[in-house]
Amino acid sequence: MADWTDVSSDRPTRTIWLHDDGRTVVVIDQTLLPHAFETLDLKTVEDAAVAIETMVVRGAPLIGATAAYGMALGMAADPSDAGLEAAAARLLRTRPTAINLHWAVGVVADAMALLPPAARAEAAYTAAADIADDDAAMCSAIGDHGLRIIEEIWEAKGGTGVVQVLTHCNAGWLATVEWGTATAPIYKAFEAGIPIHVWVDETRPRNQGASLTAWELGDRGVPHSVIVDNAGGHLMQHGMVDLCIVGSDRTTAAGDVGNKIGTYLKALAARDNGVPFYAALPSSSIDWSITDGVAAIPIEERDAAEVTHVRGQAPDGSVVTVRLTPAGTAARNYAFDVTPARLVTGIITERGVAPASREGLASLFPDMT
Amino acid sequence: MADWTDVSSDRPTRTIWLHDDGRTVVVIDQTLLPHAFETLDLKTVEDAAVAIETMVVRGAPLIGATAAYGMALGMAADPSDAGLEAAAARLLRTRPTAINLHWAVGVVADAMALLPPAARAEAAYTAAADIADDDAAMCSAIGDHGLRIIEEIWEAKGGTGVVQVLTHCNAGWLATVEWGTATAPIYKAFEAGIPIHVWVDETRPRNQGASLTAWELGDRGVPHSVIVDNAGGHLMQHGMVDLCIVGSDRTTAAGDVGNKIGTYLKALAARDNGVPFYAALPSSSIDWSITDGVAAIPIEERDAAEVTHVRGQAPDGSVVTVRLTPAGTAARNYAFDVTPARLVTGIITERGVAPASREGLASLFPDMT
């Protein structure tokens, strides 16, 4: 079994790992970040399901890995066919639209099907570990390909100053198993000794940038500054951004990038100021069946309270939710937007960097198209 | 003396008015909005100065009117030359870079200079009232010119549906004496019976949209929805915005618009989607001495705590400031940005609507250029 803990540091470099007992699954309780760092032990299928439902874990890859480990916890408790069915059903109910979750549960369930119950638990832990390791390897590859872009910018600057990267939302290691997607090139560059500074969009309404990205960059010691989502255009107008790297929830076969609301505005500013704009994503998030993202990617509308209210830490240390608007004010909360491929310099994937076009993506993934 | 109160409603339609005693100046305590509505009596120069310093009143026109009334309060207490000098000095110290404040104090001081002390108080109140009335008339004229743009859009829609307006920050009546600048066309259209709905950018970091614009539109019954600053691009991509109207702190002779941070990003999205983008402003905010706004308009950088912390109302009704970021996180807080004239459809002024260009503005203001 893989080594799930980073023994060289007090803090994990992964978001999910096995306890020394070889059975308990440990995750970071991301609902407490950035105001507290605590881990949570998952001992049952129900624990894993609740962790997914309550967003203790979030980010498609991490949700998938947690669901896979949830299957393993289920097999350890009840490896019968009934136990297998019950575990899968419980986990699939947590977030019905999460494609990665369905995929991961299916992978483990398929691996169980031909095995006798007595062999299932160990095989399920192995399958879950493989899913987690594969995700970490994929993000590492994205980081390696993105690193070359940052190296080129650093060389173009004559190896002086600092490479200024702007990112939006949290496509960081907290959203994956390790490395992250948009953050992977940043961590690789930082480890390679390239002076780097990250402009972290706070990413309203849920503030994943201000809370999660700022926390994880700070945890690794990567220099960064939080800015409001309004600020990036000004920074780019004044030459203070060398490149933008964002993640993606869903990218079309033609390179339109669906991502957290506000990504499109940053891409417009990047184009207007000649700043390269990249999306970093695993090829599993490319939807080869659609082309026009603005027309075809459905945009979730979430609870207006995420706009009218915000959570933060009060001076007494308590975490409270406060209302920003007048009582009773209407609000609308579109969670994602689509950045047309024409604004995207390139798509950084685990196989390399492709132009954001049908031809570009097809050349990297001839097997998928 | 002008009638400073709107007797037809419980709520004032102006932001500053005289008490029935004919001497006390009354303002809305804007620091309490949107969670409480209270007025504050200003009885002395010091009261007026503190109201400006503590942002009980904000917005250049309202600051100017408050300073003018502060001079009147000073003359009522001590109309001597020494009293005049002391009042002016105290008020000018409040916000040293506020041009409108300097102008208003100067207007009242000049009017005092040739008068015997016994005549000064009444003349100062008259001068202050004139300043307030002139501002209200100017904003009303901006509203009338902007109304015609909204009427044309309403006609182009065949008089069906709703005219969807997006605005950023608060260029509303709360920032002026009455009507506002960006909001004036909205109020005029609403009063003219045109169905209108306003997308209110919350406008991080200080949330003037979520707090002040939402409050004042709600107070007048104008339909509106608060959105995060990230959302406007998505709305425009999907045909949900008919026009954008913003205010301006400083506009160049060539039509570059300096305004609250994030305005530029909305202008980029408007251009990318064929949505008209207007700035509404009094000609007094046009700086005829500069052309290139990005190069020449200095951008104030404010306290990082405005980014890392936010104020809101807790469930128990108390107003508290909470931290959004991990403890110790660095943040940067650029307060304004510049929208190049090429992205601006037109400048709505008290004299009419001009193309955003040196020629366009000069044709409306031949006396200024």
Side-chain angles (χ1 to χ4, degrees), chain B:
Chain B
M1 203 168 296
D3 172 23
W4 287 102
T5 56
D6 173 15
V7 293
S8 67
S9 154
D10 287 349
R11 288 276 175 82
T13 64
R14 286 195 171 186
T15 50
I16 187 167
W17 63 94
L18 272 196
H19 190 272
D20 289 344
D21 67 12
R23 175 164 168 175
T24 304
V25 178
V26 189
V27 295
I28 299 169
D29 185 349
Q30 299 197 21
T31 64
L32 301 180
L33 293 175
H35 304 299
F37 176 83
E38 288 183 20
T39 60
L40 201 68
D41 289 348
L42 311 180
K43 293 175 176 294
T44 64
V45 176
E46 185 62 22
D47 288 350
V50 170
I52 295 169
E53 281 169 347
T54 58
M55 297 180 84
V56 162
V57 294
R58 22 76 60 193
L62 177 56
I63 288 171
T66 305
Y69 273 108
M71 291 292 287
L73 290 165
M75 291 303 89
D78 175 4
S80 70
D81 285 359
L84 178 61
E85 266 182 49
R90 177 67 187 93
L91 290 162
L92 290 174
R93 265 206 317 277
T94 55
R95 295 190 69 180
T97 60
I99 291 171
N100 241 54
L101 180 147
H102 281 245
W103 168 82
V105 169
V107 165
V108 181
D110 288 351
M112 299 300 96
L114 301 174
L115 293 176
R120 283 176 173 170
E122 188 182 341
Y125 274 98
T126 301
D130 287 347
I131 284 173
D133 283 348
D134 286 352
D135 187 69
M138 187 157 55
C139 288
S140 179
I142 288 170
D144 291 334
H145 296 301
L147 169 60
R148 284 195 274 283
I149 295 169
I150 295 176
E151 284 173 337
E152 281 168 22
I153 289 172
W154 176 234
E155 284 159 20
K157 295 183 89 156
T160 61
V162 173
V163 177
Q164 300 273 7
V165 184
L166 183 145
T167 191
H168 192 70
C169 200
N170 178 253
W173 67 267
L174 286 170
T176 63
V177 171
E178 197 176 13
W179 293 108
T181 54
T183 54
I186 292 167
Y187 289 125
K188 296 273 182 178
F190 180 68
E191 292 187 2
I194 297 174
I196 198 163
H197 171 263
V198 184
W199 296 110
V200 179
D201 272 0
E202 65 172 342
T203 319
R204 285 276 293 148
R206 290 175 61 84
N207 282 341
Q208 293 95 334
S211 53
L212 303 177
T213 303
W215 183 86
E216 67 163 81
L217 291 174
D219 191 59
R220 299 285 169 90
V222 180
H224 63 282
S225 303
V226 172
I227 50 174
V228 294
D229 303 308
N230 283 323
H234 168 74
L235 296 177
M236 292 190 231
Q237 280 182 318
H238 290 269
M240 297 163 78
V241 180
D242 293 308
L243 81 162
C244 302
I245 312 180
V246 300
S248 171
D249 293 87
R250 196 170 175 189
T251 292
T252 74
D256 290 351
V257 173
N259 193 40
K260 191 64 52 184
I261 190 83
T263 303
Y264 166 52
L265 294 171
K266 292 303 136 61
L268 284 166
R271 173 55 50 97
D272 202 44
N273 294 285
V275 174
F277 185 94
Y278 291 93
L281 49 99
S283 61
S284 57
S285 66
I286 300 174
D287 185 338
W288 299 99
S289 71
I290 57 173
T291 300
D292 180 346
V294 173
I297 296 179
I299 302 298
E300 176 186 3
E301 190 173 354
R302 297 177 55 90
D303 189 347
E306 291 184 353
V307 174
T308 57
H309 292 65
V310 73
R311 200 176 65 142
Q313 190 168 41
D316 67 4
S318 64
V319 175
V320 295
T321 297
V322 298
R323 182 161 47 76
L324 304 173
T325 53
T329 297
R332 298 291 291 273
N333 183 14
Y334 302 92
F336 303 97
D337 66 19
V338 174
T339 300
R342 63 184 155 83
L343 301 175
V344 179
T345 308
I347 309 277
I348 307 171
T349 74
E350 71 275 18
R351 286 198 198 165
V353 182
S357 65
R358 181 174 286 282
E359 302 67 36
L361 288 168
S363 70
L364 267 191
F365 298 94
D367 45 327
M368 301 299 293
T369 51

